[in-house]
Structures are given as structure tokens and as C-alpha cells.
Amino acid sequence: MIYINDIPSVRDPDSYKYIIDDRVEKIEVIDGYVVQDFGHIETGDVFSITCMFTEENFSRVQELWEARTKVNFKDTVGTVWENMRIVLREFTRDKDFPKYVTATFELWRI
């Protein structure tokens, strides 16, 4: 289970990944390559999550997204990530249980 502020998901996420903003690139030159390295930029890191909420709790998450409110995120191991931007990407209602919503969203470290 995860929490967005005090809003719980129904269960652990279906999909959960942490995308690291490592600003390094390899540039091809005539005799090989050079590396341009600006390092790891933590404020560019992103959580990408798909999980289920009750209809009521999803509405609360959606309100946070619409208002562009910064949120706290408690992950599956209990770590709290503060001042995150939530970006809703898509959602679907369960055809067999229409009072449940599966949402795909990102949480940006800013």
C-alpha cells in the first residue's frame, strides 16, 4: 500500500519504478567519444506508478493534481518523500468493480 498525503491505495502498486535523472551523455567525435557529465540531478528523479484506489480516494488524488498541490508520498517500505508534484497520466475504472479506479501517475521530486 502507498499513501499520497493521507490517501491510501487499495493495495501495493501494480507497477512501480524510480526513474533517475542522470545527466551524462556520450558524444561521438572523430577519434572516439567524449563524455559530458552534469551528474545526478535528484530534483529530476521521478516515480512512475500504477495502482488502484477507491473511487472516493481517487477523487481526492485527482483534486490534488488539478490544484497542482505538492504532496507527500509514502512508498511501500514506509519511506516518506516530501514536496512531490503529482502528475496524473491516465486512469480506468475496473469493469467488474466500478467503485475502484486504477490510476497511472508520476511523482516528481522538485
Side-chain angles (χ1 to χ4, degrees):
M1 178 180 307
I2 63 167
Y3 287 84
I4 306 298
N5 289 343
D6 65 338
I7 307 166
S9 63
V10 172
R11 58 179 183 248
D12 281 352
D14 299 331
S15 171
Y16 178 97
K17 63 183 168 179
Y18 188 81
I19 303 163
I20 298 168
D21 186 1
D22 186 5
R23 302 207 184 161
V24 62
E25 73 177 297
K26 184 169 56 170
I27 302 168
E28 189 173 353
V29 294
I30 291 173
D31 291 329
Y33 293 91
V34 295
V35 173
Q36 184 172 350
D37 190 348
F38 294 105
H40 172 216
I41 311 299
E42 286 185 2
T43 56
D45 291 354
V46 174
F47 287 94
S48 179
I49 301 169
T50 299
C51 69
M52 182 180 287
F53 293 92
T54 63
E55 182 177 47
E56 178 183 336
N57 284 341
F58 175 71
S59 292
R60 294 174 60 204
V61 169
Q62 194 171 19
E63 287 171 8
L64 293 169
W65 167 66
E66 289 284 352
R68 303 300 200 239
T69 304
K70 290 183 183 174
V71 301
N72 292 333
F73 165 58
K74 184 175 181 181
D75 66 20
T76 55
V77 295
T79 303
V80 177
W81 304 79
E82 297 181 343
N83 296 316
M84 310 275 301
R85 173 83 60 192
I86 189 164
V87 181
L88 187 61
R89 294 296 181 195
E90 65 182 18
F91 65 92
T92 57
R93 294 191 183 279
D94 189 292
K95 66 179 182 168
D96 297 322
F97 303 99
K99 297 280 186 188
Y100 292 89
V101 177
T102 298
T104 299
F105 57 95
E106 294 175 351
L107 290 160
W108 296 357
R109 293 186 69 184
I110 51 175

Short mmCIF file of all heavy atoms in Angstrom, two decimals, residues 53-98:
data_model
loop_
_atom_site.label_atom_id
_atom_site.label_comp_id
_atom_site.label_asym_id
_atom_site.label_seq_id
_atom_site.Cartn_x
_atom_site.Cartn_y
_atom_site.Cartn_z
N PHE A 53 -7.12 2.73 -6.44
CA PHE A 53 -7.71 3.49 -5.33
C PHE A 53 -9.21 3.26 -5.32
O PHE A 53 -9.80 2.92 -6.36
CB PHE A 53 -7.47 5.00 -5.54
CG PHE A 53 -6.05 5.43 -5.45
CD1 PHE A 53 -5.26 5.49 -6.59
CD2 PHE A 53 -5.48 5.77 -4.24
CE1 PHE A 53 -3.94 5.89 -6.51
CE2 PHE A 53 -4.17 6.18 -4.15
CZ PHE A 53 -3.39 6.24 -5.30
N THR A 54 -9.83 3.47 -4.18
CA THR A 54 -11.29 3.51 -4.17
C THR A 54 -11.70 4.75 -4.96
O THR A 54 -10.89 5.69 -5.13
CB THR A 54 -11.85 3.61 -2.74
OG1 THR A 54 -11.40 4.84 -2.16
CG2 THR A 54 -11.46 2.41 -1.89
N GLU A 55 -12.91 4.78 -5.43
CA GLU A 55 -13.40 5.92 -6.19
C GLU A 55 -13.27 7.23 -5.39
O GLU A 55 -12.83 8.25 -5.91
CB GLU A 55 -14.86 5.68 -6.59
CG GLU A 55 -15.47 6.78 -7.43
CD GLU A 55 -16.89 6.44 -7.85
OE1 GLU A 55 -17.67 6.00 -6.99
OE2 GLU A 55 -17.19 6.61 -9.03
N GLU A 56 -13.63 7.18 -4.12
CA GLU A 56 -13.56 8.36 -3.26
C GLU A 56 -12.11 8.85 -3.11
O GLU A 56 -11.82 10.04 -3.23
CB GLU A 56 -14.15 8.04 -1.88
CG GLU A 56 -14.07 9.19 -0.91
CD GLU A 56 -14.60 8.82 0.47
OE1 GLU A 56 -15.40 7.87 0.59
OE2 GLU A 56 -14.17 9.47 1.43
N ASN A 57 -11.20 7.92 -2.84
CA ASN A 57 -9.80 8.31 -2.68
C ASN A 57 -9.17 8.78 -3.98
O ASN A 57 -8.35 9.70 -3.99
CB ASN A 57 -8.98 7.18 -2.05
CG ASN A 57 -9.25 7.05 -0.57
OD1 ASN A 57 -9.76 7.97 0.07
ND2 ASN A 57 -8.92 5.90 -0.02
N PHE A 58 -9.56 8.18 -5.09
CA PHE A 58 -9.06 8.66 -6.37
C PHE A 58 -9.51 10.09 -6.63
O PHE A 58 -8.74 10.92 -7.11
CB PHE A 58 -9.49 7.76 -7.53
CG PHE A 58 -9.08 8.33 -8.86
CD1 PHE A 58 -7.75 8.33 -9.23
CD2 PHE A 58 -10.01 8.91 -9.70
CE1 PHE A 58 -7.34 8.90 -10.43
CE2 PHE A 58 -9.62 9.48 -10.90
CZ PHE A 58 -8.29 9.47 -11.27
N SER A 59 -10.75 10.40 -6.27
CA SER A 59 -11.24 11.78 -6.43
C SER A 59 -10.39 12.76 -5.63
O SER A 59 -10.10 13.86 -6.10
CB SER A 59 -12.70 11.88 -5.99
OG SER A 59 -13.53 11.18 -6.88
N ARG A 60 -9.96 12.35 -4.46
CA ARG A 60 -9.10 13.20 -3.64
C ARG A 60 -7.73 13.39 -4.29
O ARG A 60 -7.18 14.50 -4.30
CB ARG A 60 -8.96 12.62 -2.24
CG ARG A 60 -10.27 12.63 -1.45
CD ARG A 60 -10.17 11.91 -0.12
NE ARG A 60 -9.16 12.54 0.75
CZ ARG A 60 -8.54 11.89 1.73
NH1 ARG A 60 -8.81 10.62 1.98
NH2 ARG A 60 -7.65 12.52 2.47
N VAL A 61 -7.17 12.32 -4.85
CA VAL A 61 -5.90 12.42 -5.55
C VAL A 61 -6.05 13.32 -6.77
O VAL A 61 -5.21 14.18 -7.05
CB VAL A 61 -5.38 11.02 -5.97
CG1 VAL A 61 -4.20 11.12 -6.92
CG2 VAL A 61 -5.01 10.20 -4.74
N GLN A 62 -7.14 13.16 -7.49
CA GLN A 62 -7.40 13.97 -8.68
C GLN A 62 -7.51 15.46 -8.32
O GLN A 62 -7.00 16.31 -9.05
CB GLN A 62 -8.70 13.48 -9.34
CG GLN A 62 -8.91 13.99 -10.74
CD GLN A 62 -10.08 13.31 -11.42
OE1 GLN A 62 -10.95 12.72 -10.77
NE2 GLN A 62 -10.12 13.41 -12.72
N GLU A 63 -8.11 15.76 -7.19
CA GLU A 63 -8.21 17.15 -6.74
C GLU A 63 -6.81 17.74 -6.46
O GLU A 63 -6.55 18.90 -6.79
CB GLU A 63 -9.06 17.25 -5.48
CG GLU A 63 -10.54 17.06 -5.73
CD GLU A 63 -11.36 16.93 -4.45
OE1 GLU A 63 -10.81 17.13 -3.34
OE2 GLU A 63 -12.56 16.61 -4.57
N LEU A 64 -5.94 16.94 -5.87
CA LEU A 64 -4.57 17.40 -5.62
C LEU A 64 -3.85 17.71 -6.93
O LEU A 64 -3.14 18.71 -7.06
CB LEU A 64 -3.79 16.34 -4.83
CG LEU A 64 -4.23 16.09 -3.40
CD1 LEU A 64 -3.55 14.84 -2.85
CD2 LEU A 64 -3.94 17.29 -2.52
N TRP A 65 -4.06 16.84 -7.92
CA TRP A 65 -3.45 17.04 -9.23
C TRP A 65 -4.00 18.31 -9.89
O TRP A 65 -3.24 19.13 -10.40
CB TRP A 65 -3.68 15.81 -10.10
CG TRP A 65 -3.37 16.01 -11.54
CD1 TRP A 65 -2.15 16.26 -12.10
CD2 TRP A 65 -4.31 16.00 -12.61
NE1 TRP A 65 -2.27 16.38 -13.46
CE2 TRP A 65 -3.59 16.23 -13.80
CE3 TRP A 65 -5.68 15.79 -12.70
CZ2 TRP A 65 -4.19 16.27 -15.05
CZ3 TRP A 65 -6.29 15.82 -13.94
CH2 TRP A 65 -5.54 16.06 -15.09
N GLU A 66 -5.31 18.46 -9.89
CA GLU A 66 -5.94 19.63 -10.52
C GLU A 66 -5.47 20.93 -9.88
O GLU A 66 -5.25 21.93 -10.57
CB GLU A 66 -7.48 19.54 -10.42
CG GLU A 66 -8.11 18.49 -11.30
CD GLU A 66 -8.20 18.87 -12.76
OE1 GLU A 66 -7.90 20.03 -13.12
OE2 GLU A 66 -8.54 17.99 -13.56
N ALA A 67 -5.29 20.92 -8.56
CA ALA A 67 -4.88 22.12 -7.83
C ALA A 67 -3.37 22.34 -7.88
O ALA A 67 -2.87 23.35 -7.40
CB ALA A 67 -5.34 22.04 -6.38
N ARG A 68 -2.65 21.37 -8.45
CA ARG A 68 -1.19 21.44 -8.51
C ARG A 68 -0.56 21.56 -7.13
O ARG A 68 0.42 22.24 -6.91
CB ARG A 68 -0.73 22.59 -9.40
CG ARG A 68 -1.25 22.54 -10.83
CD ARG A 68 -0.79 21.24 -11.49
NE ARG A 68 -0.85 21.32 -12.94
CZ ARG A 68 -1.56 20.51 -13.71
NH1 ARG A 68 -2.31 19.56 -13.15
NH2 ARG A 68 -1.53 20.61 -15.01
N THR A 69 -1.16 20.83 -6.20
CA THR A 69 -0.71 20.83 -4.81
C THR A 69 0.48 19.90 -4.65
O THR A 69 0.45 18.77 -5.14
CB THR A 69 -1.86 20.37 -3.89
OG1 THR A 69 -2.99 21.20 -4.10
CG2 THR A 69 -1.45 20.38 -2.44
N LYS A 70 1.51 20.36 -3.97
CA LYS A 70 2.63 19.47 -3.65
C LYS A 70 2.16 18.47 -2.60
O LYS A 70 1.38 18.80 -1.72
CB LYS A 70 3.82 20.27 -3.14
CG LYS A 70 4.48 21.09 -4.23
CD LYS A 70 5.69 21.80 -3.69
CE LYS A 70 6.30 22.67 -4.76
NZ LYS A 70 7.40 23.48 -4.22
N VAL A 71 2.63 17.24 -2.73
CA VAL A 71 2.17 16.16 -1.86
C VAL A 71 3.35 15.46 -1.19
O VAL A 71 4.49 15.57 -1.64
CB VAL A 71 1.33 15.12 -2.65
CG1 VAL A 71 0.12 15.76 -3.30
CG2 VAL A 71 2.18 14.39 -3.69
N ASN A 72 3.03 14.74 -0.14
CA ASN A 72 3.97 13.81 0.47
C ASN A 72 3.58 12.42 -0.01
O ASN A 72 2.40 12.10 -0.16
CB ASN A 72 3.92 13.88 1.99
CG ASN A 72 4.45 15.20 2.50
OD1 ASN A 72 5.28 15.85 1.88
ND2 ASN A 72 3.95 15.62 3.65
N PHE A 73 4.58 11.60 -0.25
CA PHE A 73 4.37 10.26 -0.78
C PHE A 73 5.05 9.26 0.16
O PHE A 73 6.23 9.38 0.44
CB PHE A 73 4.96 10.17 -2.19
CG PHE A 73 5.14 8.78 -2.72
CD1 PHE A 73 4.06 7.92 -2.82
CD2 PHE A 73 6.38 8.34 -3.13
CE1 PHE A 73 4.23 6.63 -3.31
CE2 PHE A 73 6.56 7.06 -3.64
CZ PHE A 73 5.49 6.21 -3.73
N LYS A 74 4.27 8.30 0.65
CA LYS A 74 4.82 7.23 1.48
C LYS A 74 4.84 5.97 0.63
O LYS A 74 3.80 5.48 0.18
CB LYS A 74 3.97 7.03 2.73
CG LYS A 74 4.53 6.01 3.69
CD LYS A 74 3.69 5.97 4.96
CE LYS A 74 4.21 4.99 5.97
NZ LYS A 74 3.37 4.96 7.17
N ASP A 75 6.05 5.44 0.39
CA ASP A 75 6.18 4.28 -0.50
C ASP A 75 5.89 2.97 0.23
O ASP A 75 5.55 2.97 1.41
CB ASP A 75 7.53 4.28 -1.22
CG ASP A 75 8.72 4.09 -0.28
OD1 ASP A 75 8.55 3.60 0.84
OD2 ASP A 75 9.85 4.44 -0.71
N THR A 76 6.06 1.88 -0.47
CA THR A 76 5.68 0.57 0.05
C THR A 76 6.53 0.10 1.22
O THR A 76 6.12 -0.79 1.96
CB THR A 76 5.74 -0.51 -1.06
OG1 THR A 76 7.05 -0.51 -1.64
CG2 THR A 76 4.72 -0.23 -2.14
N VAL A 77 7.70 0.68 1.41
CA VAL A 77 8.55 0.30 2.55
C VAL A 77 8.50 1.32 3.67
O VAL A 77 9.22 1.21 4.65
CB VAL A 77 10.02 0.04 2.12
CG1 VAL A 77 10.11 -1.15 1.19
CG2 VAL A 77 10.65 1.27 1.51
N GLY A 78 7.63 2.33 3.53
CA GLY A 78 7.43 3.30 4.60
C GLY A 78 8.26 4.56 4.51
O GLY A 78 8.18 5.43 5.39
N THR A 79 9.08 4.71 3.46
CA THR A 79 9.85 5.93 3.27
C THR A 79 8.91 7.05 2.84
O THR A 79 8.08 6.87 1.96
CB THR A 79 10.95 5.74 2.21
OG1 THR A 79 11.78 4.65 2.61
CG2 THR A 79 11.79 6.99 2.04
N VAL A 80 9.04 8.22 3.47
CA VAL A 80 8.21 9.37 3.13
C VAL A 80 9.04 10.34 2.28
O VAL A 80 10.12 10.76 2.69
CB VAL A 80 7.68 10.08 4.39
CG1 VAL A 80 6.89 11.33 4.00
CG2 VAL A 80 6.81 9.13 5.20
N TRP A 81 8.51 10.65 1.11
CA TRP A 81 9.13 11.60 0.18
C TRP A 81 8.28 12.86 0.23
O TRP A 81 7.08 12.81 -0.06
CB TRP A 81 9.17 11.02 -1.22
CG TRP A 81 9.88 9.70 -1.32
CD1 TRP A 81 9.37 8.47 -0.99
CD2 TRP A 81 11.20 9.47 -1.74
NE1 TRP A 81 10.30 7.50 -1.19
CE2 TRP A 81 11.45 8.09 -1.66
CE3 TRP A 81 12.22 10.31 -2.21
CZ2 TRP A 81 12.65 7.51 -2.03
CZ3 TRP A 81 13.43 9.73 -2.57
CH2 TRP A 81 13.63 8.36 -2.48
N GLU A 82 8.88 13.99 0.56
CA GLU A 82 8.12 15.22 0.78
C GLU A 82 8.18 16.15 -0.43
O GLU A 82 9.12 16.11 -1.22
CB GLU A 82 8.64 15.94 2.02
CG GLU A 82 8.45 15.13 3.29
CD GLU A 82 8.95 15.85 4.53
OE1 GLU A 82 9.73 16.82 4.41
OE2 GLU A 82 8.56 15.42 5.63
N ASN A 83 7.16 17.01 -0.51
CA ASN A 83 7.08 18.08 -1.52
C ASN A 83 7.23 17.57 -2.95
O ASN A 83 8.04 18.06 -3.72
CB ASN A 83 8.12 19.17 -1.23
CG ASN A 83 7.85 19.86 0.07
OD1 ASN A 83 6.71 20.20 0.39
ND2 ASN A 83 8.89 20.05 0.86
N MET A 84 6.43 16.58 -3.28
CA MET A 84 6.44 16.00 -4.62
C MET A 84 5.30 16.60 -5.45
O MET A 84 4.26 16.96 -4.92
CB MET A 84 6.24 14.48 -4.55
CG MET A 84 7.13 13.74 -3.58
SD MET A 84 8.71 13.27 -4.21
CE MET A 84 8.36 12.26 -5.58
N ARG A 85 5.52 16.68 -6.74
CA ARG A 85 4.48 17.13 -7.67
C ARG A 85 3.84 15.89 -8.24
O ARG A 85 4.53 15.02 -8.77
CB ARG A 85 5.10 17.97 -8.77
CG ARG A 85 4.15 18.36 -9.88
CD ARG A 85 3.33 19.55 -9.58
NE ARG A 85 4.20 20.70 -9.33
CZ ARG A 85 3.76 21.83 -8.81
NH1 ARG A 85 2.49 21.96 -8.51
NH2 ARG A 85 4.57 22.83 -8.60
N ILE A 86 2.51 15.78 -8.15
CA ILE A 86 1.81 14.63 -8.72
C ILE A 86 1.31 15.00 -10.11
O ILE A 86 0.76 16.09 -10.32
CB ILE A 86 0.65 14.14 -7.81
CG1 ILE A 86 0.09 12.83 -8.33
CG2 ILE A 86 -0.41 15.19 -7.63
CD1 ILE A 86 -0.76 12.08 -7.33
N VAL A 87 1.53 14.09 -11.06
CA VAL A 87 1.13 14.31 -12.45
C VAL A 87 0.31 13.09 -12.88
O VAL A 87 0.86 12.01 -13.08
CB VAL A 87 2.35 14.50 -13.38
CG1 VAL A 87 1.90 14.74 -14.81
CG2 VAL A 87 3.24 15.62 -12.87
N LEU A 88 -0.98 13.26 -12.98
CA LEU A 88 -1.88 12.17 -13.38
C LEU A 88 -1.74 11.94 -14.88
O LEU A 88 -1.82 12.89 -15.67
CB LEU A 88 -3.32 12.54 -13.02
CG LEU A 88 -4.38 11.48 -13.21
CD1 LEU A 88 -4.08 10.26 -12.34
CD2 LEU A 88 -5.74 12.05 -12.85
N ARG A 89 -1.50 10.70 -15.29
CA ARG A 89 -1.31 10.37 -16.71
C ARG A 89 -2.54 9.70 -17.32
O ARG A 89 -2.90 10.00 -18.45
CB ARG A 89 -0.08 9.48 -16.90
CG ARG A 89 1.22 10.16 -16.57
CD ARG A 89 1.46 11.31 -17.51
NE ARG A 89 2.73 11.96 -17.22
CZ ARG A 89 3.05 13.14 -17.68
NH1 ARG A 89 2.22 13.81 -18.46
NH2 ARG A 89 4.21 13.68 -17.38
N GLU A 90 -3.15 8.76 -16.58
CA GLU A 90 -4.37 8.11 -17.08
C GLU A 90 -5.03 7.34 -15.95
O GLU A 90 -4.40 7.07 -14.93
CB GLU A 90 -4.06 7.17 -18.25
CG GLU A 90 -3.20 5.98 -17.90
CD GLU A 90 -2.88 5.11 -19.11
OE1 GLU A 90 -3.03 5.57 -20.25
OE2 GLU A 90 -2.49 3.95 -18.90
N PHE A 91 -6.29 7.01 -16.15
CA PHE A 91 -6.98 6.18 -15.17
C PHE A 91 -8.08 5.40 -15.86
O PHE A 91 -8.58 5.79 -16.92
CB PHE A 91 -7.54 7.00 -14.00
CG PHE A 91 -8.62 7.98 -14.37
CD1 PHE A 91 -9.96 7.62 -14.29
CD2 PHE A 91 -8.30 9.27 -14.77
CE1 PHE A 91 -10.96 8.52 -14.62
CE2 PHE A 91 -9.30 10.18 -15.09
CZ PHE A 91 -10.63 9.79 -15.01
N THR A 92 -8.42 4.25 -15.25
CA THR A 92 -9.51 3.41 -15.76
C THR A 92 -10.32 2.89 -14.58
O THR A 92 -9.78 2.73 -13.48
CB THR A 92 -8.98 2.20 -16.55
OG1 THR A 92 -8.10 1.45 -15.71
CG2 THR A 92 -8.24 2.62 -17.79
N ARG A 93 -11.56 2.65 -14.83
CA ARG A 93 -12.43 2.03 -13.83
C ARG A 93 -12.43 0.52 -14.07
O ARG A 93 -12.44 0.08 -15.22
CB ARG A 93 -13.84 2.56 -13.91
CG ARG A 93 -13.92 4.01 -13.56
CD ARG A 93 -15.36 4.46 -13.38
NE ARG A 93 -15.36 5.88 -13.11
CZ ARG A 93 -15.12 6.42 -11.92
NH1 ARG A 93 -14.87 5.65 -10.90
NH2 ARG A 93 -15.14 7.72 -11.74
N ASP A 94 -12.44 -0.22 -13.01
CA ASP A 94 -12.50 -1.68 -13.12
C ASP A 94 -13.88 -2.06 -13.63
O ASP A 94 -14.88 -1.65 -13.06
CB ASP A 94 -12.21 -2.31 -11.75
CG ASP A 94 -12.03 -3.80 -11.85
OD1 ASP A 94 -13.04 -4.50 -12.15
OD2 ASP A 94 -10.91 -4.27 -11.63
N LYS A 95 -13.96 -2.85 -14.70
CA LYS A 95 -15.26 -3.19 -15.29
C LYS A 95 -16.11 -4.04 -14.35
O LYS A 95 -17.33 -3.95 -14.37
CB LYS A 95 -15.09 -3.88 -16.64
CG LYS A 95 -14.44 -5.24 -16.56
CD LYS A 95 -14.34 -5.87 -17.92
CE LYS A 95 -13.73 -7.24 -17.74
NZ LYS A 95 -13.81 -8.06 -18.89
N ASP A 96 -15.48 -4.86 -13.52
CA ASP A 96 -16.24 -5.70 -12.59
C ASP A 96 -16.53 -5.01 -11.27
O ASP A 96 -17.49 -5.36 -10.58
CB ASP A 96 -15.47 -7.00 -12.32
CG ASP A 96 -15.31 -7.84 -13.58
OD1 ASP A 96 -16.26 -7.89 -14.38
OD2 ASP A 96 -14.22 -8.42 -13.76
N PHE A 97 -15.70 -4.04 -10.92
CA PHE A 97 -15.85 -3.31 -9.65
C PHE A 97 -15.73 -1.82 -9.93
O PHE A 97 -14.68 -1.21 -9.71
CB PHE A 97 -14.78 -3.76 -8.64
CG PHE A 97 -14.81 -5.24 -8.38
CD1 PHE A 97 -13.92 -6.09 -9.02
CD2 PHE A 97 -15.73 -5.77 -7.48
CE1 PHE A 97 -13.94 -7.45 -8.78
CE2 PHE A 97 -15.76 -7.14 -7.23
CZ PHE A 97 -14.87 -7.99 -7.89
N PRO A 98 -16.79 -1.19 -10.43
CA PRO A 98 -16.72 0.20 -10.89
C PRO A 98 -16.43 1.23 -9.80
O PRO A 98 -16.15 2.37 -10.10
CB PRO A 98 -18.09 0.44 -11.53
CG PRO A 98 -18.98 -0.62 -10.97
CD PRO A 98 -18.11 -1.78 -10.64
#
